[in-house]
Amino acid sequence: MDMHSPFKKVEVFAPLSSSPLEAGTAARIQPQQLGYLSLVIDVALYVGSGVVAWIWLDPLPSDMFKVMALTTLALTFVIFTACCRAFKMHDPLALLHADALPSIAKVIVSAGLPALIPLLVSLPMAKSNDVAVHDFIRWLIAFELLAVSALTAAHVVFHAARPQLARSVFTPRRIAVVGSGEAAARLIRWVELTAPGLFEIIGVFDDRDSRRTVSSSVAHKIRGNTTDLIELYKS
């Protein structure tokens, strides 16, 4: 959470996804969960590309090839996850709102760069008479092509289906704001500006008399007092 966010200045009530406030949406995916799910899928596709390339090429049995391939797969996995983090590929806001073309470009770089580095380093040895070296280079080429193709296709499909998924699968985290002062107003503006689609403000609840809250900039969002909030949560 941003240390400058107004959450620390006002009480926020965020019910669990299984609470009655979210009845009928428990089976849906929250944006925060989307980030973890997309990361797991991308990692599975990336590592799977290396394994599939190995099985597809069926190289001659060689301990040297196995050591080189397994070491390279581990190192490229580290580089891949670092690229994903640097480009914020699995950030919920980016997944829900980023333009497709820049996102796909980041995917191509993240999927292609890790295997490209050892491939370029290995190319000068292409004239070697060692069969394991040739198998290793062939595997890197196949790994590179499969990883880029698989991850690009997955993200293209996601961006094509995103509007429909946003309507039928994803559900924002519902929160209630306690207090209707200026801090509450700043909180609501902050959520709307920095986290669209991640949170849904279900209402503002204030125990003060209506004569004291009528001048609040969020008076139109007041749904009652904290007793009403508890009853809403129980109902």
Side-chain angles (χ1 to χ4, degrees):
M1 181 63 68
D2 183 358
M3 292 301 293
H4 298 290
S5 74
F7 274 97
K8 59 184 178 180
K9 301 176 182 178
V10 65
E11 293 183 79
V12 178
F13 177 78
L16 299 174
S17 59
S18 59
S19 73
L21 283 177
E22 294 185 347
T25 62
R28 293 188 175 186
I29 298 175
Q30 294 181 359
Q32 295 91 331
Q33 297 169 329
L34 173 63
Y36 295 113
L37 179 60
S38 64
L39 174 61
V40 170
I41 293 174
D42 281 353
V43 167
L45 288 174
Y46 187 80
V47 176
S49 296
V51 174
V52 169
W54 190 329
I55 297 173
W56 177 35
L57 294 176
D58 191 22
L60 294 174
S62 168
D63 291 337
M64 180 59 67
F65 172 81
K66 292 178 182 178
V67 170
M68 291 190 299
L70 290 174
T71 302
T72 301
L73 185 59
L75 291 176
T76 54
F77 169 74
V78 173
I79 299 173
F80 170 71
T81 53
C83 288
C84 291
R85 184 177 179 84
F87 289 137
K88 298 182 179 180
M89 282 174 47
H90 306 104
D91 180 81
L93 280 176
L95 289 169
L96 289 174
H97 301 290
D99 293 334
L101 289 180
S103 298
I104 297 301
K106 292 177 182 179
V107 170
I108 293 174
V109 173
S110 299
L113 182 63
L116 182 62
I117 296 173
L119 177 59
L120 294 176
V121 173
S122 303
L123 284 180
M125 296 182 288
K127 295 181 180 180
S128 171
N129 294 323
D130 192 334
V131 176
V133 172
H134 286 280
D135 286 341
F136 179 66
I137 294 175
R138 289 170 54 237
W139 173 73
L140 280 174
I141 295 173
F143 181 18
E144 172 87 3
L145 295 176
L146 285 174
V148 172
S149 300
L151 270 81
T152 300
H155 281 261
V156 167
V157 170
F158 170 76
H159 282 282
R162 186 171 62 180
Q164 179 61 33
L165 293 174
R167 290 190 297 269
S168 60
V169 177
F170 305 143
T171 183
R173 184 71 169 172
R174 295 182 176 184
I175 61 176
V177 179
V178 177
S180 61
E182 183 56 31
R186 289 197 301 270
L187 167 64
I188 293 173
R189 287 196 299 269
W190 185 84
V191 169
E192 292 174 346
L193 290 175
T194 64
L198 296 187
F199 300 101
E200 176 189 354
I201 305 293
I202 65 169
V204 175
F205 298 83
D206 199 318
D207 287 331
R208 294 182 299 171
D209 186 88
S210 59
R211 289 173 296 181
R212 298 180 60 190
T213 61
V214 68
S215 61
S216 169
S217 60
V218 295
H220 61 288
K221 294 181 179 291
I222 297 178
R223 298 184 59 181
N225 54 32
T226 52
T227 302
D228 299 318
L229 174 58
I230 294 173
E231 290 301 320
L232 178 63
Y233 180 76
K234 294 178 177 180
S235 62

